[in-house]
Amino acid sequence: MTIPSMPIPRRLLALSLTCALSLTPLASAQTLARPGWAGSGMSTDVWWKHAVVYQVNPANFSPASSPATDTAATTSASPLHGLTQRLDYIQSLGVDAILLTPIQPDADHPQEINPALGASDDLDDLIHESSRRNIRVLLDLDPKIPNDTLSNVARFWLNRGIAGFHIVGGTDNAHAQAAIVRKAASTFLGQRIVIADADPTLPTDPRQRTYSPPDSSTAPQLFLDARPGTPDKLTASLIRPAIDTTQDILQAGHTLPLLATDGPALTRSISRYADGQHDLAIAKVLATILFATRGETLLYYGQELGVPTPETSPLIVWDAPPPPAKGKPAPAPAEYDKSVPPNAALQDADPSSLLNWYRQLSSLHHGNATIANGQNITINQDDKNVLVWIRKPQGTSPLTPPLVIICNLTAQPVNLSLKADIVRLHLRGSFLRTVLRSDKGMGTMHLESMTIAPYASYIGALRF
């Protein structure tokens, strides 16, 4: 059946046309500057509240390491172009946003792209191709940009399709910069965000358990928090209070913590905590802390593959080695070797690799409601140097049981009994049904007595 069109009153039509014409510049500049951009305002989902952010230095994606069909394509490629060609790999990690380290040549040219990294078209392609994969592009801002021009600089990049910024530093000036950029970003549609290195409203002493609510109009949405993953040693007594503080911050309605273990200013964690025997297992423990605690996750390019410090060149080998000659046996899998770049293709094919552990944790981070929203409750096993915490859902039921996460931070197997702790917390359960585990163990874990392998990570659902 055809519905007859209704005549529009002339005055209403004129008013509609006037509003449309007056809004067109705003829409073109903010929402439609890059058609199809994931932050175009067409979705009401708050993507950054359960985000995985992937920080990269575009210079690491050199033309020589980018796939190309011929020599001419190789010589014309830029690092930003090379990064675009690795978006399928980045997407496989469950990444919600890419954070680019500074791409401007210097603070005197904050609206330009360093020619060594690429041209404006390369950035446009990166934003467009990222959007097709539902990935946002964020940008580090040079802290030396004068505050009186910072708002205009932010607007310039937001108009290009950048989804947000990272403000470097924890000084008073950095806090002021974050407020300036947040105010500028708030006038744009599409959930533009600001990440800061510190939240000025948090107490400097983590033992203080009172927090003032931030000004929602100027406070950053995320702040970079390295406390749970960057102590000098993997010690439960240091990491557990940081996990508790994260929960307190969230309960107070604060800026969300963006948890990190690696970054441009840090020694790579696989080298920082390595013991030469359990390096990959230790790396899996750190990944578990990143993804299974009550915070968002920041990955630094290559940590999911075990890139070490000092960094090799290239950082990553993307293609598998050629097959052995006919009649020759395939070489046995090699132990992790920090002297050579990690091979992405080999780790992709190995279900027990570090890369696939990151992928499993990222999938759990996005897909499990208890991991996404459940309360953190730590259990003190500091005397055994074992990190134990519970993710308790808002409504516990057989369909939504609490999850128990256990990380052995020692090179020895450890025997635990968690039954008394579960009873004290008024939770019902007698055993843990495995959700994820980093070792090769099988079967359930009984609360009365369980053995955790050296540097093992275990995630189990509480059952009775």
Side-chain angles (χ1 to χ4, degrees):
M1 178 179 68
T2 304
I3 300 176
S5 59
M6 300 294 293
I8 301 175
R10 184 173 299 175
R11 181 174 296 178
L12 179 60
L13 178 61
L15 178 61
S16 300
L17 288 173
T18 301
C19 291
L21 291 172
S22 65
L23 289 174
T24 298
L26 178 67
S28 300
Q30 297 179 4
T31 305
L32 304 178
R34 293 293 175 267
W37 175 53
S40 63
M42 300 304 292
S43 171
T44 58
D45 294 336
V46 183
W47 67 268
W48 47 268
K49 283 198 172 181
H50 304 293
V52 174
V53 180
Y54 194 68
Q55 186 176 21
V56 300
N57 180 352
N60 290 328
F61 292 84
S62 63
S65 64
S66 301
T69 56
D70 52 38
T71 303
T74 301
T75 55
S76 64
S78 69
L80 283 172
H81 178 69
L83 174 58
T84 302
Q85 291 186 312
R86 296 300 177 193
L87 285 174
D88 286 342
Y89 166 81
I90 294 172
Q91 185 184 29
S92 78
L93 295 168
V95 168
D96 299 285
I98 297 170
L99 171 59
L100 304 177
T101 56
I103 60 174
Q104 305 103 320
D106 51 56
D108 294 328
H109 303 84
Q111 299 180 4
E112 299 178 16
I113 297 174
N114 186 341
L117 299 178
S120 58
D121 286 348
D122 295 321
L123 179 63
D124 292 345
D125 288 344
L126 175 63
I127 293 171
H128 177 72
E129 291 301 319
S130 296
S131 176
R132 290 182 60 241
R133 295 162 176 83
N134 202 31
I135 297 173
R136 281 81 172 169
V137 178
L138 314 175
L139 182 63
D140 267 346
L141 285 179
D142 191 321
K144 296 179 181 179
I145 298 173
N147 288 5
D148 58 353
T149 64
L150 190 58
S151 181
N152 289 335
V153 171
R155 289 175 180 276
F156 170 82
W157 292 108
L158 291 167
N159 276 322
R160 294 200 66 87
I162 291 295
F165 303 98
H166 172 217
I167 305 299
V168 180
T171 64
D172 289 343
N173 187 60
H175 299 326
Q177 289 181 326
I180 292 169
V181 174
R182 175 70 197 279
K183 186 175 181 179
S186 67
T187 64
F188 283 70
L189 301 177
Q191 300 178 12
R192 317 297 178 100
I193 70 163
V194 174
I195 303 170
D197 279 349
D199 185 338
T201 62
L202 293 179
T204 55
D205 185 346
R207 292 171 295 183
Q208 290 182 252
R209 308 300 283 268
T210 58
Y211 306 95
S212 302
D215 181 351
S216 60
S217 65
T218 58
Q221 286 96 333
L222 299 169
F223 80 93
L224 196 56
D225 188 356
R227 288 173 298 178
T230 53
D232 293 336
K233 296 181 180 179
L234 285 180
T235 306
S237 60
L238 294 176
I239 300 174
R240 185 175 54 80
I243 295 175
D244 286 334
T245 302
T246 298
Q247 177 65 33
D248 293 340
I249 292 168
L250 289 162
Q251 285 183 329
H254 259 264
T255 302
L256 297 179
L258 182 65
L259 305 181
T261 63
D262 292 67
L266 297 171
T267 300
R268 294 272 187 170
S269 58
I270 199 163
S271 297
R272 190 168 5 120
Y273 298 118
D275 67 355
Q277 183 180 357
H278 304 93
D279 296 1
L280 288 182
I282 293 170
K284 291 181 179 182
V285 165
L286 289 167
T288 305
I289 295 171
L290 278 178
F291 282 97
T293 47
R294 188 71 168 89
E296 316 319 315
T297 306
L298 178 74
L299 307 181
Y300 186 48
Y301 165 61
Q303 77 176 81
E304 75 283 356
L305 292 163
V307 168
T309 298
E311 296 176 346
T312 56
S313 181
L315 290 185
I316 297 170
V317 174
W318 293 101
D319 300 319
K326 188 175 181 179
K328 298 288 186 180
E335 295 295 325
Y336 177 72
D337 184 355
K338 291 197 287 285
S339 66
V340 297
N343 189 295
L346 292 181
Q347 289 204 31
D348 179 65
D350 180 4
S352 64
S353 69
L354 181 60
L355 171 61
N356 281 314
W357 180 251
Y358 268 86
R359 287 171 172 166
Q360 292 177 78
L361 288 169
S362 182
S363 178
L364 192 69
H365 180 85
H366 285 104
N368 187 288
T370 300
I371 289 292
N373 300 305
Q375 179 185 3
N376 266 345
I377 305 172
T378 60
I379 294 177
N380 190 336
Q381 294 286 336
D382 295 354
D383 59 329
K384 296 183 177 181
N385 202 20
V386 176
L387 193 61
V388 183
W389 69 98
I390 295 173
R391 299 302 307 276
K392 182 183 176 183
Q394 293 181 352
T396 300
S397 73
L399 294 178
T400 56
L403 297 180
V404 180
I405 299 97
I406 306 170
C407 294
N408 183 358
L409 306 185
T410 76
Q412 306 297 326
V414 175
N415 186 264
L416 291 180
S417 175
L418 299 180
K419 182 64 176 179
D421 295 294
I422 295 300
V423 171
R424 176 178 55 82
L425 294 170
H426 306 290
L427 298 174
R428 295 181 61 193
S430 59
F431 67 93
L432 301 176
R433 179 172 293 167
T434 301
V435 175
L436 277 179
R437 64 188 305 164
S438 63
D439 62 349
K440 297 181 180 179
M442 302 292 288
T444 60
M445 293 278 202
H446 293 278
L447 294 179
E448 294 282 5
S449 179
M450 62 182 75
T451 300
I452 310 299
Y455 290 111
S457 298
Y458 179 88
I459 302 175
L462 184 60
R463 297 292 186 181
F464 53 87

Coordinates of all heavy atoms in Angstrom, one line a residue, residues 54 56-68 79 81-93 300-305 307 312-322 340-349 355 359:
Y54 N 46.3 0.1 21.0 CA 47.5 -0.5 20.5 C 48.4 0.7 20.2 O 48.2 1.4 19.2 CB 47.3 -1.3 19.3 CG 48.4 -2.2 18.8 CD1 48.8 -3.3 19.6 CD2 49.0 -2.0 17.6 CE1 49.8 -4.1 19.2 CE2 50.0 -2.8 17.2 CZ 50.4 -3.9 17.9 OH 51.5 -4.7 17.5
V56 N 51.7 2.5 18.8 CA 52.7 2.2 17.8 C 53.5 3.4 17.4 O 53.0 4.6 17.5 CB 52.1 1.7 16.4 CG1 51.3 0.4 16.7 CG2 51.3 2.7 15.7
N57 N 54.8 3.2 17.1 CA 55.6 4.2 16.5 C 55.6 4.0 15.0 O 56.2 2.9 14.6 CB 57.1 4.2 17.1 CG 58.0 5.2 16.5 OD1 57.6 5.9 15.5 ND2 59.2 5.3 17.0
P58 N 55.0 4.8 14.2 CA 54.9 4.5 12.8 C 56.3 4.2 12.1 O 56.4 3.5 11.1 CB 54.3 5.8 12.2 CG 53.5 6.4 13.3 CD 54.3 6.1 14.5
A59 N 57.4 4.8 12.7 CA 58.7 4.6 12.1 C 59.1 3.1 12.1 O 59.9 2.7 11.3 CB 59.7 5.4 12.9
N60 N 58.5 2.3 13.0 CA 58.8 0.9 13.0 C 58.2 0.1 11.8 O 58.6 -1.0 11.6 CB 58.3 0.3 14.3 CG 59.0 0.7 15.5 OD1 60.2 1.0 15.4 ND2 58.3 0.8 16.6
F61 N 57.3 0.8 11.1 CA 56.7 0.1 9.9 C 57.4 0.7 8.7 O 56.8 1.4 7.9 CB 55.2 0.4 9.9 CG 54.5 -0.3 10.9 CD1 54.4 0.2 12.2 CD2 53.9 -1.6 10.7 CE1 53.7 -0.4 13.2 CE2 53.2 -2.2 11.7 CZ 53.1 -1.6 13.0
S62 N 58.7 0.4 8.6 CA 59.5 0.9 7.5 C 59.1 0.3 6.2 O 58.5 -0.8 6.1 CB 61.0 0.6 7.7 OG 61.2 -0.8 7.7
P63 N 59.3 1.0 5.1 CA 58.9 0.5 3.8 C 59.5 -0.9 3.5 O 58.9 -1.7 2.8 CB 59.4 1.5 2.8 CG 59.5 2.8 3.6 CD 59.8 2.4 5.0
A64 N 60.7 -1.1 4.0 CA 61.4 -2.4 3.7 C 60.6 -3.6 4.3 O 60.7 -4.7 3.8 CB 62.8 -2.4 4.2
S65 N 59.9 -3.3 5.4 CA 59.2 -4.4 6.1 C 57.7 -4.5 5.7 O 57.0 -5.3 6.1 CB 59.3 -4.3 7.6 OG 58.6 -3.1 8.0
S66 N 57.3 -3.6 4.7 CA 55.9 -3.6 4.3 C 55.8 -4.5 3.0 O 56.7 -4.4 2.1 CB 55.5 -2.2 3.9 OG 55.6 -1.4 5.1
P67 N 54.7 -5.2 2.9 CA 54.6 -6.1 1.7 C 54.4 -5.2 0.5 O 53.8 -4.2 0.5 CB 53.3 -6.9 2.0 CG 52.5 -6.0 3.0 CD 53.6 -5.3 3.8
A68 N 55.0 -5.6 -0.6 CA 55.0 -4.8 -1.9 C 55.1 -5.8 -3.0 O 55.7 -6.8 -2.9 CB 56.1 -3.7 -1.9
P79 N 56.2 4.7 6.2 CA 55.9 4.0 7.4 C 54.4 4.0 7.7 O 53.8 3.0 8.1 CB 56.7 4.8 8.5 CG 57.9 5.2 7.7 CD 57.4 5.6 6.4
H81 N 52.0 4.2 5.5 CA 51.5 3.2 4.6 C 51.7 1.8 5.0 O 50.9 0.9 4.9 CB 52.1 3.5 3.2 CG 51.6 2.5 2.1 ND1 50.3 2.5 1.6 CD2 52.2 1.5 1.5 CE1 50.2 1.6 0.7 NE2 51.3 1.0 0.6
G82 N 53.0 1.5 5.5 CA 53.3 0.2 6.0 C 52.4 -0.2 7.2 O 52.0 -1.3 7.3
L83 N 52.1 0.8 8.0 CA 51.2 0.5 9.2 C 49.8 0.1 8.6 O 49.1 -0.8 9.2 CB 51.1 1.7 10.1 CG 50.1 1.7 11.2 CD1 50.4 0.5 12.1 CD2 50.2 3.0 12.0
T84 N 49.3 0.8 7.6 CA 48.0 0.5 7.1 C 47.9 -0.9 6.5 O 46.9 -1.6 6.7 CB 47.7 1.5 5.9 OG1 47.7 2.9 6.5 CG2 46.3 1.2 5.3
Q85 N 49.1 -1.4 6.0 CA 49.1 -2.7 5.4 C 49.1 -3.8 6.5 O 48.9 -5.0 6.2 CB 50.3 -2.9 4.5 CG 50.1 -2.0 3.2 CD 51.2 -2.3 2.2 OE1 52.4 -2.2 2.6 NE2 50.8 -2.5 1.0
R86 N 49.3 -3.4 7.8 CA 49.3 -4.4 8.9 C 48.0 -4.3 9.7 O 48.0 -4.9 10.8 CB 50.5 -4.2 9.8 CG 51.9 -4.4 9.1 CD 52.0 -5.8 8.6 NE 53.3 -6.0 7.8 CZ 53.6 -7.0 7.1 NH1 52.7 -8.0 7.0 NH2 54.7 -7.1 6.5
L87 N 47.0 -3.7 9.2 CA 45.8 -3.5 10.0 C 45.1 -4.8 10.2 O 44.4 -5.0 11.3 CB 44.9 -2.5 9.3 CG 45.3 -1.0 9.4 CD1 44.4 -0.1 8.6 CD2 45.3 -0.6 10.9
D88 N 45.1 -5.7 9.3 CA 44.5 -7.0 9.5 C 45.1 -7.7 10.7 O 44.4 -8.3 11.5 CB 44.5 -7.9 8.3 CG 43.6 -7.4 7.2 OD1 42.7 -6.7 7.5 OD2 43.8 -7.8 6.0
Y89 N 46.4 -7.7 10.8 CA 47.1 -8.3 11.9 C 46.7 -7.6 13.2 O 46.4 -8.2 14.2 CB 48.6 -8.2 11.8 CG 49.4 -8.5 13.0 CD1 49.6 -9.8 13.4 CD2 49.9 -7.4 13.8 CE1 50.3 -10.0 14.6 CE2 50.6 -7.7 15.0 CZ 50.8 -9.0 15.4 OH 51.5 -9.2 16.5
I90 N 46.7 -6.2 13.2 CA 46.3 -5.5 14.4 C 44.9 -5.8 14.8 O 44.6 -6.0 16.0 CB 46.5 -4.0 14.2 CG1 48.0 -3.7 14.0 CG2 46.0 -3.1 15.3 CD1 48.3 -2.3 13.6
Q91 N 44.0 -5.9 13.8 CA 42.6 -6.2 14.1 C 42.5 -7.6 14.8 O 41.6 -7.8 15.6 CB 41.8 -6.2 12.8 CG 40.3 -6.4 13.1 CD 39.5 -6.4 11.8 OE1 40.1 -6.8 10.7 NE2 38.3 -6.0 11.8
S92 N 43.4 -8.5 14.4 CA 43.3 -9.9 15.0 C 43.5 -9.9 16.5 O 43.2 -10.9 17.2 CB 44.3 -10.8 14.3 OG 45.6 -10.6 14.7
L93 N 44.1 -8.8 17.0 CA 44.4 -8.7 18.5 C 43.2 -8.1 19.2 O 43.2 -8.0 20.4 CB 45.6 -7.8 18.7 CG 46.9 -8.3 18.2 CD1 47.9 -7.1 18.2 CD2 47.4 -9.5 19.0
Y300 N 51.8 -2.2 23.7 CA 52.9 -1.5 23.0 C 53.3 -2.4 21.8 O 53.7 -3.5 22.1 CB 54.0 -1.1 23.9 CG 55.1 -0.2 23.2 CD1 54.7 0.9 22.4 CD2 56.4 -0.5 23.3 CE1 55.7 1.7 21.8 CE2 57.4 0.3 22.7 CZ 57.0 1.4 22.0 OH 58.0 2.2 21.4
Y301 N 53.3 -1.8 20.6 CA 53.6 -2.6 19.4 C 54.7 -3.6 19.6 O 55.9 -3.3 20.0 CB 54.0 -1.7 18.3 CG 54.6 -2.3 17.1 CD1 53.9 -3.3 16.4 CD2 55.9 -1.9 16.7 CE1 54.5 -3.8 15.2 CE2 56.4 -2.4 15.5 CZ 55.8 -3.4 14.8 OH 56.3 -4.0 13.7
G302 N 54.4 -4.9 19.4 CA 55.4 -6.0 19.5 C 55.4 -6.7 20.8 O 56.0 -7.8 20.8
Q303 N 54.8 -6.2 21.9 CA 54.9 -6.9 23.1 C 54.1 -8.2 23.1 O 54.4 -9.2 23.8 CB 54.4 -6.1 24.3 CG 52.9 -5.9 24.4 CD 52.5 -5.1 25.7 OE1 52.6 -3.9 25.7 NE2 52.1 -5.8 26.7
E304 N 53.1 -8.3 22.2 CA 52.3 -9.5 22.0 C 53.1 -10.6 21.3 O 52.7 -11.8 21.3 CB 51.0 -9.2 21.3 CG 51.2 -9.0 19.8 CD 51.7 -7.6 19.4 OE1 51.9 -6.8 20.3 OE2 51.9 -7.4 18.2
L305 N 54.3 -10.3 20.8 CA 55.1 -11.3 20.1 C 56.4 -11.5 20.9 O 57.2 -12.4 20.6 CB 55.5 -10.8 18.7 CG 54.3 -10.8 17.7 CD1 54.7 -9.9 16.5 CD2 53.9 -12.2 17.3
V307 N 58.8 -8.9 21.6 CA 59.9 -8.0 21.1 C 60.7 -7.6 22.3 O 60.2 -7.1 23.3 CB 59.4 -6.8 20.4 CG1 60.5 -5.8 20.2 CG2 58.8 -7.2 19.0
T312 N 65.6 -5.4 18.0 CA 66.3 -5.9 16.8 C 65.8 -5.1 15.6 O 64.8 -4.4 15.7 CB 66.1 -7.4 16.6 OG1 64.7 -7.6 16.6 CG2 66.7 -8.2 17.7
S313 N 66.4 -5.2 14.5 CA 66.0 -4.6 13.3 C 65.9 -5.7 12.2 O 66.9 -6.3 11.8 CB 66.9 -3.5 12.8 OG 66.4 -2.9 11.7
P314 N 64.7 -5.9 11.6 CA 63.4 -5.4 12.0 C 62.9 -5.9 13.3 O 63.4 -6.9 13.9 CB 62.5 -5.9 10.9 CG 63.1 -7.2 10.5 CD 64.6 -7.0 10.6
L315 N 61.9 -5.2 13.9 CA 61.4 -5.6 15.2 C 60.7 -7.0 15.1 O 60.7 -7.8 16.0 CB 60.4 -4.6 15.7 CG 60.9 -3.3 16.2 CD1 59.7 -2.5 16.7 CD2 62.0 -3.4 17.2
I316 N 60.0 -7.2 13.9 CA 59.2 -8.4 13.7 C 59.5 -8.9 12.3 O 59.6 -8.2 11.3 CB 57.7 -8.1 13.8 CG1 57.4 -7.6 15.2 CG2 56.8 -9.3 13.5 CD1 56.0 -7.0 15.4
V317 N 59.6 -10.3 12.2 CA 59.7 -10.9 10.9 C 58.2 -11.4 10.6 O 57.6 -12.1 11.4 CB 60.6 -12.1 10.9 CG1 60.5 -12.9 9.6 CG2 62.1 -11.6 11.2
W318 N 57.7 -11.0 9.5 CA 56.3 -11.3 9.2 C 56.0 -12.6 8.5 O 55.0 -13.2 8.7 CB 55.7 -10.1 8.4 CG 55.6 -8.9 9.2 CD1 56.5 -7.8 9.1 CD2 54.7 -8.5 10.2 NE1 56.1 -6.8 10.0 CE2 55.0 -7.2 10.7 CE3 53.6 -9.1 10.7 CZ2 54.3 -6.6 11.7 CZ3 52.8 -8.5 11.7 CH2 53.2 -7.2 12.2
D319 N 57.0 -13.0 7.7 CA 56.8 -14.2 6.9 C 57.4 -15.4 7.5 O 58.5 -15.3 8.1 CB 57.3 -14.0 5.5 CG 56.6 -12.8 4.8 OD1 55.3 -12.7 5.0 OD2 57.3 -12.0 4.2
A320 N 56.8 -16.6 7.4 CA 57.4 -17.9 7.9 C 58.7 -18.2 7.0 O 58.8 -17.9 5.9 CB 56.4 -19.0 7.8
P321 N 59.7 -18.9 7.6 CA 60.8 -19.3 6.9 C 60.4 -20.3 5.8 O 59.4 -20.9 5.9 CB 61.7 -19.9 7.9 CG 60.8 -20.3 9.0 CD 59.7 -19.3 9.0
P322 N 61.3 -20.4 4.7 CA 60.9 -21.3 3.7 C 60.9 -22.8 4.2 O 61.6 -23.1 5.2 CB 62.0 -21.1 2.6 CG 63.2 -20.5 3.4 CD 62.5 -19.7 4.5
V340 N 67.1 -12.6 18.1 CA 66.5 -12.6 16.7 C 65.1 -12.0 16.8 O 64.4 -12.2 17.9 CB 66.5 -14.0 16.1 CG1 67.9 -14.5 15.9 CG2 65.6 -15.0 16.9
P341 N 64.6 -11.4 15.8 CA 63.2 -10.8 15.8 C 62.2 -12.0 15.9 O 62.4 -13.0 15.3 CB 63.1 -10.1 14.5 CG 64.5 -9.9 14.0 CD 65.3 -11.1 14.5
P342 N 61.1 -11.8 16.7 CA 60.1 -12.8 16.7 C 59.4 -12.9 15.4 O 59.3 -11.9 14.6 CB 59.1 -12.3 17.8 CG 59.4 -10.8 17.9 CD 60.8 -10.6 17.6
N343 N 58.9 -14.1 15.1 CA 58.3 -14.4 13.8 C 56.8 -14.5 13.9 O 56.3 -15.4 14.6 CB 58.9 -15.7 13.2 CG 58.4 -15.9 11.8 OD1 57.2 -16.1 11.5 ND2 59.4 -16.0 10.9
A344 N 56.1 -13.5 13.3 CA 54.6 -13.4 13.5 C 53.9 -14.6 12.9 O 52.9 -15.1 13.4 CB 54.1 -12.1 12.9
A345 N 54.4 -15.1 11.7 CA 53.7 -16.2 11.0 C 53.9 -17.5 11.8 O 52.9 -18.2 11.9 CB 54.3 -16.4 9.6
L346 N 55.0 -17.7 12.4 CA 55.2 -18.9 13.2 C 54.3 -18.9 14.5 O 53.7 -19.9 14.9 CB 56.7 -19.1 13.6 CG 57.6 -19.5 12.4 CD1 59.0 -19.6 12.9 CD2 57.2 -20.7 11.6
Q347 N 54.3 -17.7 15.1 CA 53.5 -17.6 16.3 C 52.0 -17.7 16.0 O 51.2 -18.3 16.8 CB 53.8 -16.3 17.1 CG 55.1 -16.3 17.7 CD 55.2 -15.3 18.9 OE1 54.2 -15.1 19.6 NE2 56.4 -14.7 19.1
D348 N 51.6 -17.2 14.8 CA 50.2 -17.3 14.4 C 49.8 -18.8 14.3 O 48.6 -19.2 14.6 CB 50.0 -16.6 13.1 CG 48.6 -16.7 12.6 OD1 47.7 -16.1 13.3 OD2 48.4 -17.3 11.5
A349 N 50.7 -19.6 13.8 CA 50.4 -21.0 13.6 C 50.5 -21.9 14.9 O 50.1 -23.1 14.8 CB 51.3 -21.6 12.5
L355 N 51.6 -14.8 21.1 CA 50.6 -14.0 20.3 C 49.2 -14.5 20.5 O 48.2 -13.8 20.7 CB 51.0 -14.1 18.8 CG 50.0 -13.6 17.8 CD1 49.7 -12.1 18.0 CD2 50.5 -13.9 16.4
R359 N 45.6 -12.9 22.0 CA 44.3 -13.0 21.3 C 43.2 -13.6 22.2 O 42.1 -13.1 22.2 CB 44.5 -13.7 20.0 CG 45.3 -13.0 18.9 CD 45.6 -13.9 17.8 NE 46.2 -13.2 16.7 CZ 46.8 -13.7 15.6 NH1 46.9 -15.1 15.6 NH2 47.3 -13.0 14.7

